């Protein structure tokens, strides 16, 4: 705050506090010097104002300590869970080492799958698959906010339904309630997460509400204390905001949560920071109106003060970030969203840095996270340029992007932790950011996310074949389709891979695996089932035992029959020979949408033989929600730990 502004504020604070009662804080030094008309006077209420501000600056330091404690808690839960699952897996393998063979899925399901296979007489040798629904550019409304549900196991064990009441029944009902996903808010086009995720986000917001209002006197003379507290909480959250947005970060390694899951918290935190910025602006405006204006400090003079100009600039930048990040904006102008997101957040950080010196430690950390993630790791260490072939699928609206290369040597410990460079390969369910510089100048600086649809190369292979299938909508994907009509190959840049192995880790423990893919969601489903069916044997041959005791079913709902050729009959037959039970209902364009939830319930219900079961769904939001809620209902009826 410059000297002139501080002088007027102090003078007016003395005048205003003479009109109200004293604060209730008695433990603060109640003497402070205030300049007014050239005289120095002591005013105890001005001392309390200073005490509130000093106390807030100390109090806000505990906020990050609390967040670190929460992170440690999630980290302990994650790693204890991993150790527990590993021990249980070893016990099950030892107990079932003599068991051989798989049980088929129920007769009706297999009949549907065989009929679908016979109806699809086309054949292709392509092993390409599809991108994840919502990963196309621009992202579609369904699934764009809650991508983590597409890779989250919905059912992790099956048991015979139990009708008993008591503590166990209560636990089932609570777990079922937490799993349930409410329908979307139609008017706002807002997809809601599960109740459990909503409660977790609400707890985080409640923590911020507590830090906003705790020991803040809500009186007119103390309005500056409220405005100051909102600013402190804003800058304290800045490093967290940028850390959650980073693709390369320790939170994923510590907690096991994917970037997509953490990005949901990032978005909600961004909305919260926009609200805090608004409250800070309203509070400072209130300080001017109630304290400065009566003594002749005009609005123009207030707005043109350097600290206010910088603050307003930062406020406008962050509010524009919010509005351009809304799903409706991203869907219509995705390329513009990408550019504005980088430009606005950079400008906002610079403005906040110069707005107040107290913000600089937080801004410096946030800027360091941003630069380390974007420039050092993503552009400098995780981006690979290669030549890729382009072809157009039979539907005329799908581009197949294929590339292959010799895998690099063994990874260092650093590379194992951060998965640097796709040249070393990737794992099932991971995705990359694709850039095609030859499309245009604007596309040369844009990176678009797509799920790697081809099977992950095993550690024994020395070569990698990567495939992406990109459905043409608008913007980048439409330009790529036009380019593929004229060119058979192009140079691409791949940044990645990224993703979480949480789904795969959970499915490793399951004797019954049900994977549901809706349309292009096969980009997640195919790598999962391929990985489960092609696990390399360990020295004791336990992987072979694990495969023989597993029952793996894939349900693939397609819109047109031609879409099954994204994988090809040869690859589907190969999966069947390895033991995969495939169910492909009639295309939705011919028979409408099947009742996937009921099919999943029937599959699991007829396989209640003590097997642990896992369900993964990847498709449109309506399908994901239906499957999740069916699983929640089965939990309530006694299928524990779903």
């Amino acid at each position: 705050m410059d000297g002139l502004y501080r002088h007027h504020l102090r003078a007016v604070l003395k005048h205003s506090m003479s009109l109200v009662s004293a604060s209730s804080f008695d433990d603060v030094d109640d003497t402070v010097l205030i300049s007014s008309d050239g005289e120095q006077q002591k005013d105890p209420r001005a001392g309390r104002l200073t005490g509130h501000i000093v106390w807030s600056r100390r109090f806000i330091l505990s906020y990050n300590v609390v967040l670190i404690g929460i992170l440690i808690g999630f980290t302990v839960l994650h790693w204890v869970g991993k150790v527990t699952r590993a021990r249980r897996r070893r016990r099950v393998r030892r107990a079932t080492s003599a068991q051989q063979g798989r049980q088929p899925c129920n007769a009706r399901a297999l009949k549907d799958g065989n009929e679908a296979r016979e109806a699809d007489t086309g054949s292709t040798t392509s092993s390409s698959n599809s991108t994840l629904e919502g990963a196309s550019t621009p992202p579609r409304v369904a699934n764009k906010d809650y991508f983590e549900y597409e890779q989250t196991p919905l059912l992790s064990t099956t048991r015979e339904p139990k009708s008993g009441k008591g503590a166990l029944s209560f636990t089932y009902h609570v777990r079922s309630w937490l799993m349930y996903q409410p329908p979307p808010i139609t008017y706002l086009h807002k997809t809601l997460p599960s109740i459990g995720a909503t409660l977790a986000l609400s707890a985080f917001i409640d923590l911020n509400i507590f830090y906003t209002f705790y020991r803040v006197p809500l009186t007119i003379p103390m309005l500056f204390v409220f405005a100051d507290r909102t600013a402190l909480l804003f800058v304290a959250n800045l490093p967290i905001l940028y850390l959650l947005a980073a693709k390369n970060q320790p939170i994923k390694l510590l907690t096991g949560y994917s970037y997509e899951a953490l990005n949901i918290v990032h978005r909600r935190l961004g909305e919260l920071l926009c609200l805090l910025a608004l409250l800070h602006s309203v509070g400072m405006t209130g300080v001017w109106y109630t304290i400065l204006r009566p003594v002749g400090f005009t609005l123009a003079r207030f707005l043109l003060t350097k600290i206010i100009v910088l603050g307003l600039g930062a406020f406008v930048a962050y509010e524009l970030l919010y509005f351009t990040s809304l799903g409706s904006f991203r869907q219509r102008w995705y390329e513009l969203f990408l550019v504005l997101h980088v430009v606005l957040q950079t400008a906002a950080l610079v403005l906040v840095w110069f707005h107040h010196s107290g913000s600089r430690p937080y801004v410096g950390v946030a800027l360091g996270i941003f630069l380390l993630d974007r420039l050092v790791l993503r552009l400098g260490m995780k981006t690979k340029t290669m030549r890729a072939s382009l072809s157009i699928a039979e539907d005329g609206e799908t581009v197949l992007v294929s590339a292959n290369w010799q895998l690099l040597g063994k990874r260092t410990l650093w590379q194992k932790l951060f998965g640097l460079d796709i040249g070393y390969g990737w794992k099932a369910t991971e995705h990359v950011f694709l850039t095609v510089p030859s499309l245009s100048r604007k596309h040369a600086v844009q990176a678009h996310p797509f799920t790697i649809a081809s099977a992950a190369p095993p550690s024994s292979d020395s070569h990698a074949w990567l495939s992406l299938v990109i459905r043409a909508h608008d913007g980048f994907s439409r330009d790529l389709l036009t380019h593929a009509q004229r060119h058979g190959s192009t140079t691409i840049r791949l940044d990645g891979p990224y993703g979480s192995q949480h789904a795969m880790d959970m499915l490793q423990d399951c004797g019954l695996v049900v994977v549901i893919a809706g349309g292009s969601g096969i980009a997640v489903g195919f790598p999962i089932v391929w990985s489960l069916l092609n696990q390399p044997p360990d020295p004791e041959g336990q992987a072979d035992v694990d495969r023989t005791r597993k029952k793996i079913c894939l349900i693939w709902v397609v819109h047109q029959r031609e879409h099954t050729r994204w994988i090809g009959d040869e690859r589907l037959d190969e999966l069947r020979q390895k033991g995969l039970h495939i169910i492909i209902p009639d295309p939705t364009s011919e028979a409408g949408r099947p009742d996937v939830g009921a099919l999943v319930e029937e599959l699991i219900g007829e396989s209640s033989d003590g097997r642990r079961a896992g369900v993964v769904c990847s498709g449109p939001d309506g399908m994901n929600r239906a499957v999740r809620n069916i699983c929640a209902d089965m939990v309530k009826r006694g299928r524990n730990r779903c």
Side-chain angles (χ1 to χ4, degrees):
M1 191 179 299
D2 61 21
L4 179 62
Y5 183 75
R6 185 187 299 109
H7 170 76
H8 281 275
L9 178 60
R10 286 179 174 177
V12 176
L13 285 175
K14 175 181 182 295
H15 170 74
S16 63
M17 283 188 290
S18 65
L19 304 177
V20 298
S21 60
S23 171
S24 60
F25 285 85
D26 298 324
D27 56 342
V28 181
D29 183 10
D30 61 355
T31 62
V32 67
L33 293 178
I34 300 181
S35 299
S36 178
D37 300 329
E39 297 182 359
Q40 303 243 332
Q41 302 181 24
K42 292 184 178 180
D43 192 313
R45 285 157 292 191
R48 292 189 178 95
L49 172 64
T50 304
H52 278 295
I53 296 174
V54 172
W55 187 87
S56 291
R57 278 158 170 72
R58 295 173 179 173
F59 175 62
I60 205 66
L61 297 176
S62 65
Y63 176 74
N64 296 106
V65 176
V66 172
L67 292 184
I68 292 174
I70 295 174
L71 176 62
I72 292 175
F74 277 102
T75 300
V76 171
L77 289 175
H78 169 64
W79 287 99
V80 168
K82 284 181 70 71
V83 172
T84 302
R85 289 193 298 271
R87 290 177 176 175
R88 181 171 57 226
R89 193 179 304 140
R90 288 194 295 267
R91 288 197 303 267
V92 171
R93 283 175 173 174
R94 287 195 296 265
T96 60
S97 59
Q99 296 180 3
Q100 298 293 330
R102 296 185 182 88
Q103 297 180 7
C105 292
N106 67 80
R108 187 185 69 81
L110 286 177
K111 180 180 179 181
D112 291 343
N114 293 331
E115 289 177 352
R117 178 177 58 168
E118 294 170 0
D120 185 8
T121 58
S123 177
T124 175
T125 59
S126 172
S127 62
S128 300
N129 317 105
S130 152
T131 61
L132 180 64
E133 180 74 16
S136 56
T137 305
R140 309 184 77 172
V141 172
N143 303 337
K144 65 179 178 294
D145 284 330
Y146 297 100
F147 174 92
E148 87 280 12
Y149 295 119
E150 299 177 351
Q151 299 186 19
T152 301
L154 302 178
L155 198 67
S156 60
T157 186
T158 55
R159 297 181 181 178
E160 292 295 336
K162 300 179 181 181
S163 58
K165 298 182 179 180
L168 193 59
S169 177
F170 175 76
T171 301
Y172 293 157
H173 280 75
V174 171
R175 293 182 62 86
S176 172
W177 179 70
L178 293 175
M179 285 182 60
Y180 178 79
Q181 183 181 1
I185 303 176
T186 306
Y187 180 76
L188 298 177
H189 302 285
K190 192 73 170 179
T191 303
L192 299 177
S194 66
I195 293 178
T198 300
L199 290 178
L201 289 170
S202 298
F204 179 67
I205 294 174
D206 290 342
L207 178 66
N208 278 267
I209 293 175
F210 169 77
Y211 271 86
T212 300
F213 292 100
Y214 182 65
R215 294 184 66 174
V216 173
L218 300 178
T219 60
I220 296 299
M222 296 293 176
L223 188 58
F224 182 79
V225 178
F226 171 76
D228 182 70
R229 179 69 68 82
T230 55
L232 291 173
L233 192 57
F234 178 92
V235 297
N237 273 306
L238 274 180
I240 312 302
L241 180 72
Y242 284 84
L243 184 62
L244 291 170
K247 298 293 291 186
N248 305 280
Q249 46 149 295
I251 297 180
K252 183 183 74 172
L253 175 65
L254 294 174
T255 66
Y257 288 107
S258 66
Y259 162 80
E260 292 77 21
L262 296 174
N263 190 254
I264 296 176
V265 185
H266 164 75
R267 292 181 181 180
R268 301 294 85 80
L269 179 57
E271 295 169 356
L272 179 63
L273 291 193
C274 288
L275 177 60
L276 288 172
L278 177 62
L279 293 175
H280 176 67
S281 300
V282 171
M284 291 306 300
T285 304
V287 170
W288 166 79
Y289 186 81
T290 60
I291 298 178
L292 298 177
R293 184 184 62 86
V295 295
F297 205 93
T298 64
L299 179 61
R301 190 177 183 182
F302 174 75
L303 295 177
L304 292 177
T305 303
K306 180 181 178 181
I307 189 174
I308 301 300
V309 171
L310 293 170
L312 285 175
F315 170 74
V316 171
Y318 277 111
E319 296 303 319
L320 286 176
L321 264 176
Y322 168 71
F323 286 109
T324 57
S325 298
L326 294 175
S328 56
F329 187 94
R330 295 199 314 273
Q331 183 186 12
R332 294 184 180 182
W333 302 289
Y334 187 74
E335 285 80 7
L336 181 59
F337 155 75
L338 291 176
V339 174
L340 289 178
H341 210 64
V342 175
V343 173
L344 288 175
Q345 66 179 324
T346 304
L349 283 177
V350 172
L351 290 169
V352 173
W353 174 279
F354 289 105
H355 173 61
H356 197 285
S357 60
S359 66
R360 292 176 184 176
Y362 299 99
V363 174
V365 173
L367 183 60
I369 293 172
F370 175 76
L371 294 177
L372 178 64
D373 177 62
R374 290 291 181 128
L375 300 181
V376 178
L377 293 177
R378 294 188 62 177
L379 294 181
M381 303 180 69
K382 297 201 69 170
T383 298
K384 184 177 181 63
T385 301
M386 64 186 68
R387 197 72 182 175
S389 62
L390 303 176
S391 59
I392 301 176
E394 294 183 17
D395 59 6
E397 294 292 317
T398 305
V399 181
L400 309 179
V401 180
S402 303
N404 67 89
W405 62 89
Q406 196 74 16
L407 289 172
L408 301 178
K410 291 185 177 181
R411 301 185 182 189
T412 64
L413 177 60
W414 176 268
Q415 291 166 339
K416 290 180 179 179
L417 292 177
F418 291 94
L420 300 179
D421 193 345
I422 196 171
Y424 291 92
W426 65 92
K427 296 179 180 179
T429 73
E430 290 187 329
H431 64 277
V432 293
F433 283 81
L434 172 67
T435 301
V436 185
S438 58
L439 294 184
S440 66
R441 291 182 178 179
K442 69 175 183 179
H443 290 309
V445 295
Q446 295 178 3
H448 302 262
F450 295 97
T451 302
I452 302 173
S454 50
S459 57
S460 58
D461 282 7
S462 60
H463 207 84
W465 285 266
L466 177 141
S467 298
L468 304 174
V469 175
I470 303 174
R471 300 293 305 280
H473 297 290
D474 297 317
F476 167 79
S477 57
R478 180 60 60 179
D479 292 342
L480 181 61
L481 176 64
T482 302
H483 187 77
Q485 292 170 347
R486 301 191 299 265
H487 304 85
S489 64
T490 189
T491 299
I492 63 173
R493 288 200 308 265
L494 296 178
D495 168 25
Y498 301 103
S500 171
Q501 290 299 294
H502 176 63
M504 290 299 300
D505 291 343
M506 294 291 291
L507 294 179
Q508 296 288 349
D509 300 334
C510 301
L512 171 63
V513 174
V514 180
V515 178
I516 305 101
S520 58
I522 194 65
V524 173
F526 171 75
I528 286 178
V529 297
W530 182 270
S531 179
L532 291 174
L533 291 168
N534 292 274
Q535 296 179 25
D538 56 28
E540 299 179 359
Q542 292 296 343
D544 294 327
V545 174
D546 190 58
R547 285 197 299 270
T548 57
R549 73 179 180 85
K550 276 185 183 296
K551 179 164 60 176
I552 305 175
C553 301
L554 171 65
I555 304 173
W556 186 11
V557 180
V558 296
H559 183 64
Q560 300 176 5
R561 294 186 184 275
E562 294 79 6
H563 292 172
T564 59
R565 300 191 179 100
W566 292 343
I567 294 182
D569 284 347
E570 292 184 5
R571 184 53 59 90
L572 292 176
D573 289 339
E574 184 179 358
L575 291 173
R576 289 187 178 96
Q577 293 172 5
K578 290 179 178 293
L580 177 67
H581 305 286
I582 305 177
I583 304 169
I584 306 179
D586 291 333
T588 58
S589 60
E590 302 175 9
R593 297 178 179 178
D595 190 349
V596 177
L599 181 57
V600 171
E601 185 174 16
E602 182 178 350
L603 281 173
I604 296 176
E606 295 189 3
S607 303
S608 297
D609 53 1
R611 296 173 182 262
R612 293 181 58 83
V615 178
V616 172
C617 184
S618 171
D621 178 70
M623 176 186 291
N624 294 338
R625 186 173 61 254
V627 173
R628 170 174 288 274
N629 291 342
I630 282 293
C631 291
D633 182 67
M634 286 191 286
V635 171
K636 184 169 61 176
R637 289 187 276 114
R639 306 188 191 281
N640 189 23
R641 291 183 292 174
C642 296

